[in-house]
Amino acid sequence: LLTNIKNLFSYDRANVAMSTEEGDQLEILALGTSNGLMELPEERFLTPELTGFEEHKRGVVIIIPDLQFVVEQNKHIQNLKNQGFRSLVSVPLMAENHYIGAFSIMAYEPNAFSNDKLEIIKESASQVAIAFWQSRLREELNEQLELQSWQR
């Protein structure tokens, strides 16, 4: 996803994160720039501190046109600001009304994401959510089949 979306428009950083089973953290699975994938950070778990995270878990897209005007000061926002990012879009990954993660894109310039780009981001996130959900369902099915074979 991160390598394919760069063909559609430029961005400075993007990540795909999946929700833990408890739903209180996100684990970064992929991190990249328009130039390619990046090494995953040592600290791969994010504790969502953004105001609006509960709404995000219900499917609301978080759009911050300019981080410089965000009054809320938390570790995540401050870290993005310190790295020079100005714009942020975070699209929830939803499948069958279940929150399974987030697809987030950042840019160094303010107001970097037009409505057209936002639609592309949402569509890409939808495809990723479906792929992850299908993968989870396959894993659950395989576990059930293995359990049944042990019970025989």
Side-chain angles (χ1 to χ4, degrees):
L1 169 70
L2 300 182
T3 53
N4 290 337
I5 203 165
K6 73 178 182 182
N7 297 327
L8 301 172
F9 62 87
S10 66
Y11 60 91
D12 295 303
R13 174 121 6 116
N15 70 54
V16 175
M18 298 304 295
S19 178
T20 59
E21 285 187 33
E22 299 81 22
D24 60 342
Q25 290 186 319
L26 295 170
E27 179 182 7
I28 298 172
L29 300 181
L31 182 64
T33 69
S34 290
N35 297 322
L37 294 177
M38 298 172 59
E39 186 174 320
L40 291 175
E42 207 170 289
E43 179 56 47
R44 291 185 11 200
F45 288 93
L46 301 171
T47 302
E49 301 170 332
L50 288 173
T51 298
F53 181 67
E54 288 304 315
E55 290 82 9
H56 194 252
K57 287 171 62 172
R58 290 192 295 272
V60 175
V61 176
I62 295 173
I63 302 169
I64 303 177
D66 194 341
L67 288 163
Q68 295 304 315
F69 296 109
V70 174
V71 177
E72 175 182 6
Q73 294 299 316
N74 64 53
K75 185 174 120 182
H76 184 65
I77 292 290
Q78 196 56 50
N79 187 30
L80 292 173
K81 286 181 178 182
N82 290 344
Q83 294 178 59
F85 293 111
R86 296 286 298 273
S87 300
L88 166 72
V89 171
S90 185
V91 179
L93 300 177
M94 305 290 291
E96 295 183 16
N97 293 321
H98 290 94
Y99 178 79
I100 57 175
F103 175 47
S104 301
I105 298 187
M106 285 92 30
Y108 292 123
E109 67 181 80
N111 302 303
F113 305 109
S114 66
N115 287 338
D116 290 342
K117 289 179 184 178
L118 189 55
E119 288 306 313
I120 293 168
I121 295 167
K122 287 180 186 178
E123 183 58 36
S124 299
S126 175
Q127 292 173 13
V128 168
I130 291 167
F132 277 126
W133 188 253
Q134 288 175 340
S135 175
R136 279 189 181 175
L137 291 177
R138 267 193 298 288
E139 284 178 22
E140 288 177 17
L141 179 61
N142 288 337
E143 287 173 10
Q144 289 176 0
L145 291 173
E146 188 175 317
L147 181 61
Q148 287 177 353
S149 69
W150 279 97
Q151 292 175 345
R152 290 184 188 164

